[in-house]
Coordinates of all heavy atoms in Angstrom, one line a residue:
I1763 N -10.9 11.9 4.6 CA -12.0 12.8 4.2 C -13.3 12.0 4.4 O -14.3 12.5 4.9 CB -11.8 13.3 2.8 CG1 -10.6 14.3 2.7 CG2 -13.1 14.0 2.3 CD1 -10.3 14.7 1.3
K1764 N -13.3 10.7 4.0 CA -14.5 9.9 4.1 C -14.9 9.7 5.5 O -16.1 9.6 5.8 CB -14.2 8.5 3.4 CG -15.4 7.6 3.4 CD -15.1 6.3 2.7 CE -16.3 5.4 2.6 NZ -16.0 4.1 2.0
S1765 N -13.9 9.6 6.4 CA -14.2 9.3 7.8 C -14.4 10.6 8.6 O -14.5 10.6 9.9 CB -13.1 8.5 8.5 OG -11.9 9.1 8.4
G1766 N -14.4 11.7 7.9 CA -14.7 13.0 8.6 C -13.5 13.5 9.4 O -13.7 14.3 10.4
K1767 N -12.3 13.1 9.0 CA -11.1 13.5 9.8 C -10.1 14.3 8.8 O -8.9 14.0 8.8 CB -10.4 12.3 10.4 CG -11.2 11.7 11.5 CD -10.4 10.6 12.2 CE -11.2 10.1 13.4 NZ -10.4 9.2 14.3
L1768 N -10.7 15.2 8.1 CA -9.9 16.0 7.2 C -8.8 16.7 7.9 O -7.7 16.9 7.3 CB -10.8 17.1 6.5 CG -10.1 18.2 5.7 CD1 -9.4 17.6 4.5 CD2 -11.1 19.2 5.3
E1769 N -9.0 17.2 9.1 CA -8.0 17.9 9.8 C -6.7 17.2 10.0 O -5.6 17.8 10.2 CB -8.5 18.4 11.2 CG -8.9 17.3 12.1 CD -10.4 17.0 12.0 OE1 -10.9 17.2 10.9 OE2 -11.0 16.6 13.0
E1770 N -6.7 15.8 9.9 CA -5.5 15.1 10.1 C -4.6 15.1 8.9 O -3.4 14.8 9.1 CB -5.9 13.6 10.4 CG -6.5 13.4 11.8 CD -6.6 11.9 12.2 OE1 -6.0 11.1 11.5 OE2 -7.2 11.6 13.2
I1771 N -5.0 15.6 7.8 CA -4.1 15.7 6.6 C -3.8 17.1 6.3 O -3.0 17.4 5.4 CB -4.8 15.0 5.4 CG1 -6.0 15.8 4.9 CG2 -5.0 13.5 5.6 CD1 -6.5 15.4 3.5
V1772 N -4.4 18.1 7.0 CA -4.1 19.5 6.7 C -2.7 19.8 7.2 O -2.2 19.3 8.2 CB -5.1 20.4 7.4 CG1 -4.7 21.9 7.2 CG2 -6.5 20.1 6.9
D1773 N -2.0 20.5 6.4 CA -0.6 20.9 6.7 C -0.5 21.5 8.1 O -1.2 22.4 8.4 CB -0.1 22.0 5.7 CG 1.4 22.2 5.8 OD1 2.0 21.9 6.8 OD2 1.9 22.8 4.8
P1774 N 0.3 20.9 9.0 CA 0.4 21.4 10.4 C 0.8 22.9 10.4 O 0.4 23.6 11.4 CB 1.5 20.5 11.0 CG 1.5 19.3 10.2 CD 1.1 19.7 8.8
S1775 N 1.5 23.4 9.4 CA 1.9 24.8 9.5 C 0.7 25.7 9.2 O 0.8 27.0 9.4 CB 3.0 25.1 8.4 OG 2.4 25.0 7.1
L1776 N -0.5 25.2 8.8 CA -1.6 26.0 8.6 C -2.4 26.2 9.9 O -3.3 27.0 10.0 CB -2.6 25.4 7.6 CG -2.1 25.5 6.1 CD1 -3.1 24.8 5.2 CD2 -2.0 26.9 5.7
Y1777 N -2.1 25.4 11.0 CA -2.7 25.5 12.3 C -4.2 25.5 12.1 O -5.0 26.4 12.4 CB -2.3 26.8 13.0 CG -0.8 26.8 13.3 CD1 0.0 27.5 12.5 CD2 -0.3 26.1 14.4 CE1 1.4 27.6 12.7 CE2 1.1 26.1 14.6 CZ 1.9 26.8 13.8 OH 3.3 26.9 14.0
Y1778 N -4.7 24.4 11.6 CA -6.1 24.3 11.2 C -7.1 24.7 12.3 O -8.1 25.4 12.1 CB -6.4 22.8 10.8 CG -7.8 22.5 10.4 CD1 -8.3 22.8 9.1 CD2 -8.7 22.0 11.3 CE1 -9.6 22.5 8.8 CE2 -10.0 21.7 11.0 CZ -10.5 21.9 9.7 OH -11.7 21.6 9.4
H1779 N -6.9 24.2 13.5 CA -7.8 24.5 14.6 C -7.8 25.9 15.1 O -8.7 26.4 15.8 CB -7.5 23.6 15.8 CG -7.8 22.1 15.6 ND1 -9.1 21.6 15.5 CD2 -7.0 21.1 15.3 CE1 -9.0 20.3 15.2 NE2 -7.8 20.0 15.1
E1780 N -6.7 26.7 14.7 CA -6.7 28.1 15.1 C -7.2 29.0 14.0 O -7.3 30.2 14.2 CB -5.2 28.5 15.4 CG -4.6 27.7 16.6 CD -3.2 28.0 16.8 OE1 -2.7 29.0 16.2 OE2 -2.5 27.3 17.6
Q1781 N -7.6 28.4 12.9 CA -8.1 29.2 11.7 C -9.6 29.6 12.0 O -10.3 28.9 12.7 CB -8.1 28.4 10.4 CG -6.7 28.1 10.0 CD -6.0 29.3 9.4 OE1 -6.5 30.3 9.2 NE2 -4.7 29.1 9.0
P1782 N -10.0 30.8 11.5 CA -11.4 31.1 11.7 C -12.3 30.1 11.0 O -11.9 29.4 10.1 CB -11.5 32.5 11.0 CG -10.3 32.6 10.1 CD -9.2 31.8 10.8
I1783 N -13.6 30.1 11.4 CA -14.5 29.1 10.8 C -14.6 29.2 9.3 O -14.6 28.2 8.6 CB -15.9 29.3 11.5 CG1 -15.8 29.0 13.0 CG2 -16.9 28.4 10.8 CD1 -17.1 29.2 13.7
A1784 N -14.6 30.4 8.8 CA -14.7 30.6 7.3 C -13.6 30.0 6.6 O -13.8 29.4 5.5 CB -14.8 32.1 7.0
C1785 N -12.4 30.1 7.2 CA -11.2 29.5 6.5 C -11.3 28.0 6.6 O -11.0 27.3 5.6 CB -9.9 30.0 7.2 SG -8.4 29.3 6.5
R1786 N -11.7 27.4 7.7 CA -11.8 25.9 7.8 C -12.9 25.4 6.8 O -12.7 24.4 6.2 CB -12.2 25.5 9.2 CG -11.0 25.5 10.1 CD -11.4 25.1 11.5 NE -11.9 26.2 12.3 CZ -12.4 26.1 13.5 NH1 -12.5 24.9 14.1 NH2 -12.8 27.1 14.2
E1787 N -14.0 26.2 6.6 CA -15.0 25.8 5.7 C -14.4 25.8 4.2 O -14.7 25.0 3.4 CB -16.2 26.8 5.8 CG -17.0 26.6 7.0 CD -18.1 27.6 7.2 OE1 -18.1 28.6 6.4 OE2 -19.0 27.4 8.0
Q1788 N -13.5 26.8 3.9 CA -12.9 26.9 2.6 C -12.0 25.6 2.4 O -12.0 25.1 1.3 CB -12.1 28.1 2.5 CG -13.0 29.4 2.3 CD -12.1 30.6 2.1 OE1 -10.9 30.6 2.3 NE2 -12.7 31.7 1.7
I1789 N -11.3 25.3 3.4 CA -10.4 24.1 3.3 C -11.3 22.8 3.0 O -10.9 22.0 2.2 CB -9.6 23.9 4.6 CG1 -8.6 25.1 4.7 CG2 -8.8 22.6 4.5 CD1 -7.8 25.0 6.0
E1790 N -12.4 22.7 3.7 CA -13.3 21.6 3.5 C -13.9 21.6 2.0 O -14.0 20.6 1.4 CB -14.5 21.6 4.5 CG -14.0 21.4 5.9 CD -15.1 21.6 6.9 OE1 -16.3 21.9 6.5 OE2 -14.9 21.5 8.1
I1791 N -14.2 22.8 1.5 CA -14.8 22.9 0.2 C -13.7 22.5 -0.9 O -14.0 21.7 -1.8 CB -15.2 24.3 -0.1 CG1 -16.5 24.7 0.7 CG2 -15.6 24.5 -1.6 CD1 -16.9 26.1 0.7
V1792 N -12.5 23.0 -0.7 CA -11.4 22.6 -1.6 C -11.1 21.1 -1.5 O -10.8 20.5 -2.5 CB -10.1 23.4 -1.3 CG1 -8.9 22.9 -2.1 CG2 -10.4 24.9 -1.5
A1793 N -11.2 20.5 -0.3 CA -11.0 19.1 -0.2 C -12.1 18.3 -0.9 O -11.9 17.3 -1.6 CB -11.0 18.6 1.3
D1794 N -13.3 18.9 -0.9 CA -14.4 18.2 -1.6 C -14.2 18.3 -3.1 O -14.5 17.4 -3.9 CB -15.7 18.9 -1.2 CG -16.9 18.4 -2.0 OD1 -17.3 17.2 -1.7 OD2 -17.5 19.1 -2.9
V1795 N -13.7 19.5 -3.6 CA -13.4 19.6 -5.0 C -12.3 18.6 -5.4 O -12.4 18.0 -6.5 CB -12.9 21.1 -5.3 CG1 -12.5 21.2 -6.8 CG2 -14.1 22.1 -5.1
A1796 N -11.3 18.5 -4.6 CA -10.2 17.5 -4.9 C -10.8 16.1 -5.0 O -10.4 15.3 -5.9 CB -9.1 17.6 -3.8
T1797 N -11.7 15.8 -4.1 CA -12.3 14.4 -4.1 C -13.0 14.2 -5.4 O -12.9 13.1 -6.0 CB -13.2 14.3 -2.9 OG1 -12.5 14.5 -1.7 CG2 -13.8 12.9 -2.9
R1798 N -13.8 15.2 -5.8 CA -14.6 15.0 -7.0 C -13.7 14.9 -8.3 O -14.0 14.2 -9.2 CB -15.6 16.2 -7.2 CG -16.8 16.0 -6.3 CD -17.8 17.1 -6.5 NE -17.4 18.3 -5.7 CZ -17.5 19.5 -6.2 NH1 -17.9 19.7 -7.4 NH2 -17.2 20.5 -5.4
C1799 N -12.6 15.7 -8.2 CA -11.6 15.6 -9.4 C -11.0 14.2 -9.5 O -10.9 13.7 -10.6 CB -10.5 16.6 -9.2 SG -10.9 18.3 -9.4
L1800 N -10.7 13.6 -8.3 CA -10.1 12.3 -8.3 C -11.1 11.2 -8.7 O -10.8 10.2 -9.4 CB -9.5 11.9 -7.0 CG -8.3 12.8 -6.5 CD1 -7.8 12.4 -5.2 CD2 -7.2 12.8 -7.5
L1801 N -12.3 11.3 -8.2 CA -13.3 10.3 -8.5 C -14.0 10.4 -9.9 O -14.3 9.4 -10.5 CB -14.4 10.4 -7.4 CG -14.0 10.0 -6.0 CD1 -15.2 10.2 -5.0 CD2 -13.5 8.6 -5.9
F1802 N -14.2 11.7 -10.3 CA -15.0 11.8 -11.6 C -14.2 12.5 -12.7 O -14.8 12.7 -13.8 CB -16.3 12.7 -11.2 CG -17.1 12.1 -10.1 CD1 -17.3 12.9 -9.0 CD2 -17.5 10.8 -10.1 CE1 -18.0 12.4 -7.9 CE2 -18.3 10.3 -9.1 CZ -18.5 11.1 -7.9
G1803 N -13.0 13.0 -12.4 CA -12.3 13.7 -13.5 C -11.9 12.8 -14.6 O -11.9 13.2 -15.8
G1804 N -11.5 11.6 -14.3 CA -11.0 10.6 -15.3 C -12.1 10.3 -16.3 O -11.7 10.0 -17.5
D1805 N -13.3 10.2 -15.9 CA -14.4 9.7 -16.9 C -15.2 10.9 -17.4 O -16.2 10.7 -18.0 CB -15.3 8.7 -16.2 CG -15.9 9.2 -14.9 OD1 -15.9 10.4 -14.7 OD2 -16.5 8.4 -14.2
G1806 N -14.8 12.2 -17.2 CA -15.4 13.3 -17.8 C -16.6 13.8 -17.1 O -17.3 14.7 -17.6
K1807 N -16.9 13.4 -15.9 CA -18.1 13.9 -15.2 C -17.9 15.3 -14.6 O -18.9 15.9 -14.2 CB -18.5 12.9 -14.1 CG -19.0 11.5 -14.6 CD -19.4 10.6 -13.5 CE -19.9 9.3 -14.1 NZ -20.3 8.3 -13.0
I1808 N -16.7 15.7 -14.5 CA -16.3 17.0 -14.1 C -15.2 17.5 -14.9 O -14.3 16.8 -15.2 CB -16.0 17.1 -12.6 CG1 -15.7 18.5 -12.1 CG2 -14.8 16.1 -12.3 CD1 -15.4 18.6 -10.6
G1809 N -15.3 18.8 -15.4 CA -14.3 19.4 -16.3 C -13.6 20.5 -15.6 O -14.0 21.0 -14.5
M1810 N -12.5 21.0 -16.2 CA -11.7 22.1 -15.6 C -12.6 23.4 -15.5 O -12.4 24.2 -14.6 CB -10.5 22.4 -16.4 CG -9.3 21.4 -16.1 SD -8.9 21.2 -14.4 CE -8.5 22.9 -13.9
I1811 N -13.5 23.6 -16.4 CA -14.4 24.7 -16.3 C -15.2 24.7 -15.1 O -15.4 25.7 -14.4 CB -15.3 24.8 -17.6 CG1 -16.0 26.2 -17.6 CG2 -16.2 23.7 -17.7 CD1 -15.1 27.3 -17.9
D1812 N -15.6 23.5 -14.7 CA -16.4 23.4 -13.4 C -15.6 23.7 -12.2 O -16.0 24.4 -11.3 CB -17.0 21.9 -13.3 CG -17.7 21.5 -14.6 OD1 -18.6 22.3 -15.0 OD2 -17.4 20.5 -15.1
V1813 N -14.3 23.1 -12.2 CA -13.4 23.3 -11.1 C -13.0 24.8 -11.0 O -13.0 25.3 -9.9 CB -12.2 22.4 -11.3 CG1 -11.2 22.7 -10.2 CG2 -12.6 20.9 -11.4
A1814 N -12.7 25.4 -12.1 CA -12.3 26.8 -12.1 C -13.4 27.7 -11.6 O -13.2 28.6 -10.8 CB -11.9 27.3 -13.5
R1815 N -14.6 27.5 -12.0 CA -15.8 28.3 -11.6 C -15.9 28.2 -10.0 O -16.0 29.3 -9.4 CB -17.0 27.7 -12.2 CG -18.3 28.5 -11.7 CD -19.6 27.8 -12.1 NE -19.7 27.6 -13.6 CZ -19.6 26.4 -14.2 NH1 -19.3 25.3 -13.4 NH2 -19.7 26.3 -15.5
E1816 N -15.8 27.1 -9.5 CA -15.9 26.9 -8.0 C -14.8 27.6 -7.2 O -15.0 28.3 -6.2 CB -16.1 25.4 -7.7 CG -16.6 25.2 -6.3 CD -17.2 23.8 -6.1 OE1 -17.3 23.0 -7.2 OE2 -17.6 23.4 -5.0
L1817 N -13.6 27.3 -7.7 CA -12.4 27.9 -6.9 C -12.3 29.4 -7.1 O -11.9 30.1 -6.1 CB -11.1 27.2 -7.4 CG -11.0 25.7 -7.0 CD1 -9.7 25.1 -7.6 CD2 -11.1 25.5 -5.5

Side-chain angles (χ1 to χ4, degrees):
I1763 293 172
K1764 183 179 179 181
S1765 61
K1767 294 191 174 184
L1768 169 65
E1769 57 269 29
E1770 292 193 5
I1771 66 166
V1772 176
D1773 190 341
S1775 68
L1776 289 177
Y1777 299 99
Y1778 177 84
H1779 291 289
E1780 298 177 13
Q1781 295 286 356
I1783 295 178
C1785 180
R1786 280 182 278 174
E1787 289 176 349
Q1788 287 182 346
I1789 296 176
E1790 293 173 1
I1791 293 173
V1792 174
D1794 179 69
V1795 174
T1797 301
R1798 284 183 278 137
C1799 288
L1800 296 178
L1801 294 178
F1802 308 120
D1805 57 14
K1807 293 181 180 178
I1808 181 174
M1810 281 307 304
I1811 189 71
D1812 308 307
V1813 177
R1815 179 192 301 109
E1816 195 159 353
L1817 292 179

